[in-house]
Amino acid sequence: MSATSSSSGPSRAIVVGAGLGGLSAAMRLGAKGYAVTVIDRLDTPGGRGSAIHKNGHRFDLGPTIVTVPQLFRDLWRACGRDFDADVDLRALDPFYEIRWPDGSRFAARQDTDAMRAEVARLSPRDVKGYDRFLRDAEARYAFGFEDLGRRSMHRFADLLAVLPKFAALRADRSVASHAKRRFRDPRLQMAFSFHPLFIGGDPFNVTSMYILVSHLEKEFGVHYAMGGVAAIAEAMAHVIADQGGELCFGTEVDEILVDKGRTTGVRLIDGRIERADLVVSNADAGHTYDRLLRNGSKRRWTPERLRKRRWSMGLYVWYFGTSDTAGMWRDVGHHTILNGPRYEGLVRDIFIEGQLSEDMSLYLHRPSVTDPSVAPEGDDTFYALSPVPHLGFPHHADWEAEGTAYQEKVAAQLETVIPGFRDRISASHVMTPPDFRDRYLSPHGSGFSIEPRILQSAWFRPHNVSEEAEGLYLVGAGTHPGAGLPGVLSSAEVLGKLVPDPARPVSTPMGLAAE
């Protein structure tokens, strides 16, 4: 039942966690010739990208958009497959609409002339600044994404080599600071600086390298996968199975085993031991080092160092379905960002003060305008997401006590854009930071693991190849290069370059039965 090592070289791999990073890693290892087993405590693939179903509504629990589809196409190609034959992507136009309390709106699109027109409509004097911002974003994309983001940064010498480029691109400035230098209108400053929130970062403290997201959107567009990101995860699971790999759900890894400095396999929560030549952890990097490697001494990622990390914000997410709403709320599209009265002050409350504010900004997802499969005919499916403080602050919110009141505040804001929705709710589900902690084993219930500040990025972030044990690798949001679908897929691409080809490929699965 347990895996055994081949005397001619490594051939078997265990991947802990079936999030998008773990599934990508398993696909790349399978393409190399490893016999791969993926183990996940949930009952379905995808991790944060999974879905639940209630009363005919499908709720996509996590990411909702695909911004760099060629990363998926490259992954499938490495496995000898065609991504577009397995997944139906639909380009969105507009990508999203941003709304402010004064009634003004901004629609983000791929077409540059259309974007210039949107900028000019709000602030004609900022059009030249927009053009400069685009050039800035492209330069940071070439360096930060195509270069640093797609190679390992585990050697300190690699960091030293790129410091001059970091300095030249003023990586010391924040995203918000850079946007303020290019736009005079506060609304446009927000519209071109909020993107780090999509990966758990404070726009007023995250390095300006992350303005590269604006180039990603312009160059590659924003897409939605029919069936949601969960459909991508299911397609990835099918590729792994076709490679001869095995996916074991409802099975939890309790410890990564290390003997004389080398990873030897894992111990499951029920005490069973599974041997392997290498282990890839797609569990949160904090959970990996603090829990899964709890019995070993650590050179770098000690409990003390983990305590000093700054973690991404938590998330309050209300998933709900409405009945008989076809044709209603025609001006509400697939993605809408509803700004509260404050921007910088609210972000500071969330990331610095750790206090639950009276006001909020919401991200409203309405996939039913694109994908009829998310709801019964004539109905709609939504989720409303509000960034909130994580649970690591001394006086964090008591969600059991405060959750109902907060939901009422969210509902009051939603009534301004989808009036009467409460009377038509046919399904409802809420996730708060404690749910992220318990479902995903995310430290402090954070939504995106370690915050991507400059001194928590690249070499400073948990590496894809661990220095704590030979044969241990990490992928996912908490590792290099970071969170978001492009980040977690790139972490597996980096892994593929680090892991050697097996000396003797093995095509038979390990034989670990799913619970």
PDB file of all heavy atoms in Angstrom, residues 289-321:
ATOM      1  N   TYR A 289       5.071  24.743   7.563  1.00  0.00           N
ATOM      2  CA  TYR A 289       6.234  24.835   8.443  1.00  0.00           C
ATOM      3  C   TYR A 289       5.863  24.760   9.923  1.00  0.00           C
ATOM      4  O   TYR A 289       6.625  24.218  10.728  1.00  0.00           O
ATOM      5  CB  TYR A 289       7.001  26.122   8.145  1.00  0.00           C
ATOM      6  CG  TYR A 289       7.798  26.025   6.860  1.00  0.00           C
ATOM      7  CD1 TYR A 289       7.603  26.917   5.812  1.00  0.00           C
ATOM      8  CD2 TYR A 289       8.741  25.023   6.690  1.00  0.00           C
ATOM      9  CE1 TYR A 289       8.338  26.813   4.638  1.00  0.00           C
ATOM     10  CE2 TYR A 289       9.469  24.908   5.526  1.00  0.00           C
ATOM     11  CZ  TYR A 289       9.266  25.805   4.502  1.00  0.00           C
ATOM     12  OH  TYR A 289       9.990  25.695   3.332  1.00  0.00           O
ATOM     13  N   ASP A 290       4.710  25.286  10.289  1.00  0.00           N
ATOM     14  CA  ASP A 290       4.352  25.322  11.706  1.00  0.00           C
ATOM     15  C   ASP A 290       3.710  24.027  12.168  1.00  0.00           C
ATOM     16  O   ASP A 290       3.910  23.600  13.312  1.00  0.00           O
ATOM     17  CB  ASP A 290       3.389  26.488  11.941  1.00  0.00           C
ATOM     18  CG  ASP A 290       3.329  26.896  13.394  1.00  0.00           C
ATOM     19  OD1 ASP A 290       4.386  26.937  14.055  1.00  0.00           O
ATOM     20  OD2 ASP A 290       2.217  27.170  13.893  1.00  0.00           O
ATOM     21  N   ARG A 291       2.958  23.365  11.302  1.00  0.00           N
ATOM     22  CA  ARG A 291       2.231  22.164  11.698  1.00  0.00           C
ATOM     23  C   ARG A 291       2.800  20.897  11.076  1.00  0.00           C
ATOM     24  O   ARG A 291       3.156  19.943  11.770  1.00  0.00           O
ATOM     25  CB  ARG A 291       0.746  22.308  11.321  1.00  0.00           C
ATOM     26  CG  ARG A 291      -0.081  21.040  11.506  1.00  0.00           C
ATOM     27  CD  ARG A 291      -0.234  20.647  12.966  1.00  0.00           C
ATOM     28  NE  ARG A 291      -0.871  19.337  13.087  1.00  0.00           N
ATOM     29  CZ  ARG A 291      -1.114  18.741  14.253  1.00  0.00           C
ATOM     30  NH1 ARG A 291      -0.798  19.346  15.378  1.00  0.00           N
ATOM     31  NH2 ARG A 291      -1.683  17.544  14.298  1.00  0.00           N
ATOM     32  N   LEU A 292       2.898  20.865   9.751  1.00  0.00           N
ATOM     33  CA  LEU A 292       3.292  19.624   9.086  1.00  0.00           C
ATOM     34  C   LEU A 292       4.741  19.261   9.344  1.00  0.00           C
ATOM     35  O   LEU A 292       5.120  18.093   9.281  1.00  0.00           O
ATOM     36  CB  LEU A 292       3.032  19.733   7.581  1.00  0.00           C
ATOM     37  CG  LEU A 292       1.573  19.959   7.168  1.00  0.00           C
ATOM     38  CD1 LEU A 292       1.447  19.976   5.650  1.00  0.00           C
ATOM     39  CD2 LEU A 292       0.649  18.896   7.770  1.00  0.00           C
ATOM     40  N   LEU A 293       5.577  20.250   9.648  1.00  0.00           N
ATOM     41  CA  LEU A 293       6.982  19.992   9.987  1.00  0.00           C
ATOM     42  C   LEU A 293       7.262  20.308  11.453  1.00  0.00           C
ATOM     43  O   LEU A 293       8.376  20.668  11.825  1.00  0.00           O
ATOM     44  CB  LEU A 293       7.900  20.829   9.093  1.00  0.00           C
ATOM     45  CG  LEU A 293       8.019  20.385   7.629  1.00  0.00           C
ATOM     46  CD1 LEU A 293       8.822  21.408   6.842  1.00  0.00           C
ATOM     47  CD2 LEU A 293       8.678  19.017   7.522  1.00  0.00           C
ATOM     48  N   ARG A 294       6.267  20.135  12.299  1.00  0.00           N
ATOM     49  CA  ARG A 294       6.364  20.553  13.700  1.00  0.00           C
ATOM     50  C   ARG A 294       7.412  19.791  14.499  1.00  0.00           C
ATOM     51  O   ARG A 294       7.917  20.302  15.496  1.00  0.00           O
ATOM     52  CB  ARG A 294       5.001  20.409  14.378  1.00  0.00           C
ATOM     53  CG  ARG A 294       4.480  18.979  14.449  1.00  0.00           C
ATOM     54  CD  ARG A 294       3.042  18.927  14.938  1.00  0.00           C
ATOM     55  NE  ARG A 294       2.511  17.561  15.013  1.00  0.00           N
ATOM     56  CZ  ARG A 294       2.009  16.898  13.991  1.00  0.00           C
ATOM     57  NH1 ARG A 294       1.976  17.461  12.793  1.00  0.00           N
ATOM     58  NH2 ARG A 294       1.540  15.665  14.141  1.00  0.00           N
ATOM     59  N   ASN A 295       7.737  18.574  14.098  1.00  0.00           N
ATOM     60  CA  ASN A 295       8.642  17.755  14.902  1.00  0.00           C
ATOM     61  C   ASN A 295      10.105  17.863  14.487  1.00  0.00           C
ATOM     62  O   ASN A 295      10.959  17.186  15.056  1.00  0.00           O
ATOM     63  CB  ASN A 295       8.200  16.285  14.845  1.00  0.00           C
ATOM     64  CG  ASN A 295       6.914  16.058  15.611  1.00  0.00           C
ATOM     65  OD1 ASN A 295       6.702  16.641  16.668  1.00  0.00           O
ATOM     66  ND2 ASN A 295       6.034  15.221  15.076  1.00  0.00           N
ATOM     67  N   GLY A 296      10.381  18.704  13.512  1.00  0.00           N
ATOM     68  CA  GLY A 296      11.761  18.846  13.081  1.00  0.00           C
ATOM     69  C   GLY A 296      12.307  20.231  13.393  1.00  0.00           C
ATOM     70  O   GLY A 296      11.554  21.202  13.516  1.00  0.00           O
ATOM     71  N   SER A 297      13.609  20.328  13.557  1.00  0.00           N
ATOM     72  CA  SER A 297      14.234  21.635  13.751  1.00  0.00           C
ATOM     73  C   SER A 297      14.233  22.373  12.418  1.00  0.00           C
ATOM     74  O   SER A 297      14.331  21.771  11.354  1.00  0.00           O
ATOM     75  CB  SER A 297      15.657  21.485  14.278  1.00  0.00           C
ATOM     76  OG  SER A 297      16.455  20.766  13.355  1.00  0.00           O
ATOM     77  N   LYS A 298      14.111  23.697  12.479  1.00  0.00           N
ATOM     78  CA  LYS A 298      14.035  24.491  11.265  1.00  0.00           C
ATOM     79  C   LYS A 298      15.072  25.602  11.297  1.00  0.00           C
ATOM     80  O   LYS A 298      15.257  26.268  12.314  1.00  0.00           O
ATOM     81  CB  LYS A 298      12.623  25.055  11.093  1.00  0.00           C
ATOM     82  CG  LYS A 298      11.608  23.977  10.706  1.00  0.00           C
ATOM     83  CD  LYS A 298      10.207  24.500  10.623  1.00  0.00           C
ATOM     84  CE  LYS A 298       9.532  24.564  11.972  1.00  0.00           C
ATOM     85  NZ  LYS A 298       9.245  23.249  12.541  1.00  0.00           N
ATOM     86  N   ARG A 299      15.714  25.768  10.157  1.00  0.00           N
ATOM     87  CA  ARG A 299      16.767  26.776  10.056  1.00  0.00           C
ATOM     88  C   ARG A 299      16.204  28.160   9.752  1.00  0.00           C
ATOM     89  O   ARG A 299      16.704  29.161  10.247  1.00  0.00           O
ATOM     90  CB  ARG A 299      17.768  26.391   8.966  1.00  0.00           C
ATOM     91  CG  ARG A 299      18.558  25.119   9.248  1.00  0.00           C
ATOM     92  CD  ARG A 299      19.533  24.832   8.124  1.00  0.00           C
ATOM     93  NE  ARG A 299      18.827  24.516   6.882  1.00  0.00           N
ATOM     94  CZ  ARG A 299      19.428  24.357   5.705  1.00  0.00           C
ATOM     95  NH1 ARG A 299      20.728  24.533   5.602  1.00  0.00           N
ATOM     96  NH2 ARG A 299      18.721  24.035   4.636  1.00  0.00           N
ATOM     97  N   ARG A 300      15.176  28.206   8.927  1.00  0.00           N
ATOM     98  CA  ARG A 300      14.668  29.505   8.490  1.00  0.00           C
ATOM     99  C   ARG A 300      13.246  29.782   8.973  1.00  0.00           C
ATOM    100  O   ARG A 300      12.982  30.799   9.597  1.00  0.00           O
ATOM    101  CB  ARG A 300      14.721  29.608   6.963  1.00  0.00           C
ATOM    102  CG  ARG A 300      14.402  31.010   6.466  1.00  0.00           C
ATOM    103  CD  ARG A 300      14.410  31.108   4.960  1.00  0.00           C
ATOM    104  NE  ARG A 300      14.368  32.489   4.525  1.00  0.00           N
ATOM    105  CZ  ARG A 300      13.902  32.906   3.361  1.00  0.00           C
ATOM    106  NH1 ARG A 300      13.436  32.023   2.491  1.00  0.00           N
ATOM    107  NH2 ARG A 300      13.893  34.186   3.043  1.00  0.00           N
ATOM    108  N   TRP A 301      12.312  28.880   8.665  1.00  0.00           N
ATOM    109  CA  TRP A 301      10.909  29.148   8.943  1.00  0.00           C
ATOM    110  C   TRP A 301      10.513  28.620  10.317  1.00  0.00           C
ATOM    111  O   TRP A 301       9.713  27.704  10.462  1.00  0.00           O
ATOM    112  CB  TRP A 301      10.032  28.593   7.826  1.00  0.00           C
ATOM    113  CG  TRP A 301      10.272  29.357   6.569  1.00  0.00           C
ATOM    114  CD1 TRP A 301      10.968  28.948   5.481  1.00  0.00           C
ATOM    115  CD2 TRP A 301       9.885  30.706   6.314  1.00  0.00           C
ATOM    116  NE1 TRP A 301      11.030  29.954   4.547  1.00  0.00           N
ATOM    117  CE2 TRP A 301      10.375  31.046   5.029  1.00  0.00           C
ATOM    118  CE3 TRP A 301       9.172  31.674   7.035  1.00  0.00           C
ATOM    119  CZ2 TRP A 301      10.170  32.309   4.453  1.00  0.00           C
ATOM    120  CZ3 TRP A 301       8.961  32.922   6.465  1.00  0.00           C
ATOM    121  CH2 TRP A 301       9.457  33.221   5.196  1.00  0.00           C
ATOM    122  N   THR A 302      11.110  29.243  11.325  1.00  0.00           N
ATOM    123  CA  THR A 302      10.822  28.901  12.715  1.00  0.00           C
ATOM    124  C   THR A 302       9.476  29.496  13.120  1.00  0.00           C
ATOM    125  O   THR A 302       8.974  30.425  12.472  1.00  0.00           O
ATOM    126  CB  THR A 302      11.910  29.468  13.631  1.00  0.00           C
ATOM    127  OG1 THR A 302      11.909  30.909  13.512  1.00  0.00           O
ATOM    128  CG2 THR A 302      13.288  28.942  13.230  1.00  0.00           C
ATOM    129  N   PRO A 303       8.875  28.996  14.206  1.00  0.00           N
ATOM    130  CA  PRO A 303       7.629  29.596  14.686  1.00  0.00           C
ATOM    131  C   PRO A 303       7.760  31.091  14.953  1.00  0.00           C
ATOM    132  O   PRO A 303       6.834  31.853  14.676  1.00  0.00           O
ATOM    133  CB  PRO A 303       7.350  28.809  15.971  1.00  0.00           C
ATOM    134  CG  PRO A 303       7.979  27.468  15.738  1.00  0.00           C
ATOM    135  CD  PRO A 303       9.228  27.771  14.953  1.00  0.00           C
ATOM    136  N   GLU A 304       8.906  31.506  15.454  1.00  0.00           N
ATOM    137  CA  GLU A 304       9.109  32.928  15.734  1.00  0.00           C
ATOM    138  C   GLU A 304       9.085  33.755  14.455  1.00  0.00           C
ATOM    139  O   GLU A 304       8.462  34.819  14.393  1.00  0.00           O
ATOM    140  CB  GLU A 304      10.443  33.139  16.457  1.00  0.00           C
ATOM    141  CG  GLU A 304      10.717  34.601  16.802  1.00  0.00           C
ATOM    142  CD  GLU A 304      12.050  34.793  17.481  1.00  0.00           C
ATOM    143  OE1 GLU A 304      12.849  33.828  17.539  1.00  0.00           O
ATOM    144  OE2 GLU A 304      12.304  35.925  17.957  1.00  0.00           O
ATOM    145  N   ARG A 305       9.745  33.260  13.409  1.00  0.00           N
ATOM    146  CA  ARG A 305       9.752  34.000  12.153  1.00  0.00           C
ATOM    147  C   ARG A 305       8.350  34.058  11.557  1.00  0.00           C
ATOM    148  O   ARG A 305       7.939  35.091  11.026  1.00  0.00           O
ATOM    149  CB  ARG A 305      10.710  33.369  11.150  1.00  0.00           C
ATOM    150  CG  ARG A 305      10.702  34.067   9.788  1.00  0.00           C
ATOM    151  CD  ARG A 305      11.802  33.575   8.893  1.00  0.00           C
ATOM    152  NE  ARG A 305      13.094  34.012   9.369  1.00  0.00           N
ATOM    153  CZ  ARG A 305      14.097  34.390   8.561  1.00  0.00           C
ATOM    154  NH1 ARG A 305      13.929  34.380   7.261  1.00  0.00           N
ATOM    155  NH2 ARG A 305      15.245  34.761   9.053  1.00  0.00           N
ATOM    156  N   LEU A 306       7.608  32.960  11.622  1.00  0.00           N
ATOM    157  CA  LEU A 306       6.253  32.962  11.097  1.00  0.00           C
ATOM    158  C   LEU A 306       5.369  33.945  11.857  1.00  0.00           C
ATOM    159  O   LEU A 306       4.509  34.609  11.266  1.00  0.00           O
ATOM    160  CB  LEU A 306       5.653  31.560  11.162  1.00  0.00           C
ATOM    161  CG  LEU A 306       6.192  30.554  10.148  1.00  0.00           C
ATOM    162  CD1 LEU A 306       5.681  29.161  10.460  1.00  0.00           C
ATOM    163  CD2 LEU A 306       5.808  30.951   8.723  1.00  0.00           C
ATOM    164  N   ARG A 307       5.570  34.069  13.156  1.00  0.00           N
ATOM    165  CA  ARG A 307       4.770  35.004  13.952  1.00  0.00           C
ATOM    166  C   ARG A 307       5.011  36.446  13.526  1.00  0.00           C
ATOM    167  O   ARG A 307       4.137  37.295  13.662  1.00  0.00           O
ATOM    168  CB  ARG A 307       5.090  34.840  15.446  1.00  0.00           C
ATOM    169  CG  ARG A 307       4.377  33.667  16.108  1.00  0.00           C
ATOM    170  CD  ARG A 307       4.426  33.771  17.620  1.00  0.00           C
ATOM    171  NE  ARG A 307       5.794  33.725  18.125  1.00  0.00           N
ATOM    172  CZ  ARG A 307       6.427  32.607  18.465  1.00  0.00           C
ATOM    173  NH1 ARG A 307       5.806  31.439  18.349  1.00  0.00           N
ATOM    174  NH2 ARG A 307       7.658  32.636  18.927  1.00  0.00           N
ATOM    175  N   LYS A 308       6.196  36.716  13.000  1.00  0.00           N
ATOM    176  CA  LYS A 308       6.538  38.085  12.611  1.00  0.00           C
ATOM    177  C   LYS A 308       6.066  38.439  11.203  1.00  0.00           C
ATOM    178  O   LYS A 308       6.198  39.592  10.782  1.00  0.00           O
ATOM    179  CB  LYS A 308       8.049  38.283  12.706  1.00  0.00           C
ATOM    180  CG  LYS A 308       8.588  38.251  14.134  1.00  0.00           C
ATOM    181  CD  LYS A 308      10.094  38.439  14.158  1.00  0.00           C
ATOM    182  CE  LYS A 308      10.633  38.434  15.582  1.00  0.00           C
ATOM    183  NZ  LYS A 308      12.115  38.586  15.602  1.00  0.00           N
ATOM    184  N   ARG A 309       5.562  37.461  10.465  1.00  0.00           N
ATOM    185  CA  ARG A 309       5.104  37.757   9.108  1.00  0.00           C
ATOM    186  C   ARG A 309       3.829  38.600   9.162  1.00  0.00           C
ATOM    187  O   ARG A 309       3.036  38.495  10.093  1.00  0.00           O
ATOM    188  CB  ARG A 309       4.797  36.468   8.336  1.00  0.00           C
ATOM    189  CG  ARG A 309       5.946  35.540   8.053  1.00  0.00           C
ATOM    190  CD  ARG A 309       7.083  36.204   7.297  1.00  0.00           C
ATOM    191  NE  ARG A 309       8.041  36.805   8.228  1.00  0.00           N
ATOM    192  CZ  ARG A 309       9.033  37.601   7.865  1.00  0.00           C
ATOM    193  NH1 ARG A 309       9.194  37.911   6.590  1.00  0.00           N
ATOM    194  NH2 ARG A 309       9.858  38.093   8.767  1.00  0.00           N
ATOM    195  N   ARG A 310       3.647  39.397   8.138  1.00  0.00           N
ATOM    196  CA  ARG A 310       2.379  40.098   7.954  1.00  0.00           C
ATOM    197  C   ARG A 310       1.515  39.249   7.019  1.00  0.00           C
ATOM    198  O   ARG A 310       1.960  38.852   5.950  1.00  0.00           O
ATOM    199  CB  ARG A 310       2.597  41.495   7.368  1.00  0.00           C
ATOM    200  CG  ARG A 310       3.460  42.397   8.235  1.00  0.00           C
ATOM    201  CD  ARG A 310       3.327  43.841   7.790  1.00  0.00           C
ATOM    202  NE  ARG A 310       2.004  44.366   8.108  1.00  0.00           N
ATOM    203  CZ  ARG A 310       1.724  45.055   9.223  1.00  0.00           C
ATOM    204  NH1 ARG A 310       2.660  45.290  10.115  1.00  0.00           N
ATOM    205  NH2 ARG A 310       0.498  45.508   9.421  1.00  0.00           N
ATOM    206  N   TRP A 311       0.287  39.001   7.440  1.00  0.00           N
ATOM    207  CA  TRP A 311      -0.594  38.113   6.693  1.00  0.00           C
ATOM    208  C   TRP A 311      -1.647  38.910   5.940  1.00  0.00           C
ATOM    209  O   TRP A 311      -2.000  40.029   6.320  1.00  0.00           O
ATOM    210  CB  TRP A 311      -1.256  37.106   7.642  1.00  0.00           C
ATOM    211  CG  TRP A 311      -0.233  36.213   8.271  1.00  0.00           C
ATOM    212  CD1 TRP A 311       0.535  36.499   9.369  1.00  0.00           C
ATOM    213  CD2 TRP A 311       0.210  34.942   7.812  1.00  0.00           C
ATOM    214  NE1 TRP A 311       1.410  35.470   9.628  1.00  0.00           N
ATOM    215  CE2 TRP A 311       1.233  34.493   8.682  1.00  0.00           C
ATOM    216  CE3 TRP A 311      -0.168  34.116   6.752  1.00  0.00           C
ATOM    217  CZ2 TRP A 311       1.874  33.275   8.527  1.00  0.00           C
ATOM    218  CZ3 TRP A 311       0.461  32.901   6.591  1.00  0.00           C
ATOM    219  CH2 TRP A 311       1.477  32.489   7.476  1.00  0.00           C
ATOM    220  N   SER A 312      -2.136  38.341   4.865  1.00  0.00           N
ATOM    221  CA  SER A 312      -3.163  39.003   4.073  1.00  0.00           C
ATOM    222  C   SER A 312      -4.436  39.163   4.887  1.00  0.00           C
ATOM    223  O   SER A 312      -4.609  38.552   5.943  1.00  0.00           O
ATOM    224  CB  SER A 312      -3.446  38.196   2.813  1.00  0.00           C
ATOM    225  OG  SER A 312      -4.119  36.982   3.133  1.00  0.00           O
ATOM    226  N   MET A 313      -5.319  40.002   4.371  1.00  0.00           N
ATOM    227  CA  MET A 313      -6.565  40.257   5.098  1.00  0.00           C
ATOM    228  C   MET A 313      -7.459  39.023   5.099  1.00  0.00           C
ATOM    229  O   MET A 313      -7.268  38.085   4.332  1.00  0.00           O
ATOM    230  CB  MET A 313      -7.316  41.443   4.465  1.00  0.00           C
ATOM    231  CG  MET A 313      -8.043  41.145   3.173  1.00  0.00           C
ATOM    232  SD  MET A 313      -6.967  40.962   1.752  1.00  0.00           S
ATOM    233  CE  MET A 313      -8.144  41.178   0.419  1.00  0.00           C
ATOM    234  N   GLY A 314      -8.443  39.045   5.967  1.00  0.00           N
ATOM    235  CA  GLY A 314      -9.467  38.026   5.953  1.00  0.00           C
ATOM    236  C   GLY A 314     -10.570  38.418   4.981  1.00  0.00           C
ATOM    237  O   GLY A 314     -10.577  39.521   4.416  1.00  0.00           O
ATOM    238  N   LEU A 315     -11.531  37.522   4.794  1.00  0.00           N
ATOM    239  CA  LEU A 315     -12.619  37.775   3.862  1.00  0.00           C
ATOM    240  C   LEU A 315     -13.953  37.409   4.506  1.00  0.00           C
ATOM    241  O   LEU A 315     -14.071  36.370   5.157  1.00  0.00           O
ATOM    242  CB  LEU A 315     -12.440  36.954   2.579  1.00  0.00           C
ATOM    243  CG  LEU A 315     -11.159  37.177   1.771  1.00  0.00           C
ATOM    244  CD1 LEU A 315     -11.074  36.157   0.644  1.00  0.00           C
ATOM    245  CD2 LEU A 315     -11.089  38.595   1.233  1.00  0.00           C
ATOM    246  N   TYR A 316     -14.917  38.298   4.319  1.00  0.00           N
ATOM    247  CA  TYR A 316     -16.306  37.971   4.613  1.00  0.00           C
ATOM    248  C   TYR A 316     -16.972  37.775   3.258  1.00  0.00           C
ATOM    249  O   TYR A 316     -16.979  38.693   2.411  1.00  0.00           O
ATOM    250  CB  TYR A 316     -16.988  39.101   5.376  1.00  0.00           C
ATOM    251  CG  TYR A 316     -18.477  38.864   5.579  1.00  0.00           C
ATOM    252  CD1 TYR A 316     -18.941  38.271   6.750  1.00  0.00           C
ATOM    253  CD2 TYR A 316     -19.391  39.213   4.603  1.00  0.00           C
ATOM    254  CE1 TYR A 316     -20.304  38.030   6.932  1.00  0.00           C
ATOM    255  CE2 TYR A 316     -20.754  38.977   4.773  1.00  0.00           C
ATOM    256  CZ  TYR A 316     -21.190  38.390   5.936  1.00  0.00           C
ATOM    257  OH  TYR A 316     -22.532  38.141   6.113  1.00  0.00           O
ATOM    258  N   VAL A 317     -17.517  36.591   3.002  1.00  0.00           N
ATOM    259  CA  VAL A 317     -18.129  36.306   1.708  1.00  0.00           C
ATOM    260  C   VAL A 317     -19.537  35.759   1.927  1.00  0.00           C
ATOM    261  O   VAL A 317     -19.720  34.754   2.614  1.00  0.00           O
ATOM    262  CB  VAL A 317     -17.307  35.290   0.883  1.00  0.00           C
ATOM    263  CG1 VAL A 317     -17.760  35.331  -0.573  1.00  0.00           C
ATOM    264  CG2 VAL A 317     -15.811  35.569   0.963  1.00  0.00           C
ATOM    265  N   TRP A 318     -20.500  36.444   1.326  1.00  0.00           N
ATOM    266  CA  TRP A 318     -21.888  36.006   1.397  1.00  0.00           C
ATOM    267  C   TRP A 318     -22.286  35.499   0.010  1.00  0.00           C
ATOM    268  O   TRP A 318     -22.355  36.255  -0.960  1.00  0.00           O
ATOM    269  CB  TRP A 318     -22.787  37.160   1.811  1.00  0.00           C
ATOM    270  CG  TRP A 318     -24.244  36.811   1.959  1.00  0.00           C
ATOM    271  CD1 TRP A 318     -24.803  35.566   1.950  1.00  0.00           C
ATOM    272  CD2 TRP A 318     -25.317  37.739   2.140  1.00  0.00           C
ATOM    273  NE1 TRP A 318     -26.160  35.648   2.120  1.00  0.00           N
ATOM    274  CE2 TRP A 318     -26.519  36.974   2.241  1.00  0.00           C
ATOM    275  CE3 TRP A 318     -25.391  39.121   2.240  1.00  0.00           C
ATOM    276  CZ2 TRP A 318     -27.753  37.569   2.422  1.00  0.00           C
ATOM    277  CZ3 TRP A 318     -26.628  39.717   2.423  1.00  0.00           C
ATOM    278  CH2 TRP A 318     -27.797  38.953   2.516  1.00  0.00           C
ATOM    279  N   TYR A 319     -22.536  34.206  -0.077  1.00  0.00           N
ATOM    280  CA  TYR A 319     -23.003  33.572  -1.305  1.00  0.00           C
ATOM    281  C   TYR A 319     -24.524  33.457  -1.210  1.00  0.00           C
ATOM    282  O   TYR A 319     -25.049  32.937  -0.223  1.00  0.00           O
ATOM    283  CB  TYR A 319     -22.401  32.176  -1.457  1.00  0.00           C
ATOM    284  CG  TYR A 319     -20.891  32.113  -1.282  1.00  0.00           C
ATOM    285  CD1 TYR A 319     -20.327  31.986  -0.014  1.00  0.00           C
ATOM    286  CD2 TYR A 319     -20.045  32.182  -2.382  1.00  0.00           C
ATOM    287  CE1 TYR A 319     -18.953  31.921   0.152  1.00  0.00           C
ATOM    288  CE2 TYR A 319     -18.669  32.121  -2.224  1.00  0.00           C
ATOM    289  CZ  TYR A 319     -18.127  31.993  -0.955  1.00  0.00           C
ATOM    290  OH  TYR A 319     -16.772  31.940  -0.795  1.00  0.00           O
ATOM    291  N   PHE A 320     -25.233  33.920  -2.230  1.00  0.00           N
ATOM    292  CA  PHE A 320     -26.679  33.811  -2.169  1.00  0.00           C
ATOM    293  C   PHE A 320     -27.270  33.669  -3.571  1.00  0.00           C
ATOM    294  O   PHE A 320     -26.706  34.138  -4.567  1.00  0.00           O
ATOM    295  CB  PHE A 320     -27.309  35.013  -1.444  1.00  0.00           C
ATOM    296  CG  PHE A 320     -27.003  36.356  -2.056  1.00  0.00           C
ATOM    297  CD1 PHE A 320     -27.844  36.928  -2.999  1.00  0.00           C
ATOM    298  CD2 PHE A 320     -25.862  37.057  -1.667  1.00  0.00           C
ATOM    299  CE1 PHE A 320     -27.570  38.169  -3.546  1.00  0.00           C
ATOM    300  CE2 PHE A 320     -25.579  38.299  -2.215  1.00  0.00           C
ATOM    301  CZ  PHE A 320     -26.427  38.867  -3.166  1.00  0.00           C
ATOM    302  N   GLY A 321     -28.398  32.970  -3.630  1.00  0.00           N
ATOM    303  CA  GLY A 321     -29.142  32.819  -4.857  1.00  0.00           C
ATOM    304  C   GLY A 321     -30.468  33.528  -4.743  1.00  0.00           C
ATOM    305  O   GLY A 321     -31.038  33.627  -3.651  1.00  0.00           O
TER     306      GLY A 321
END
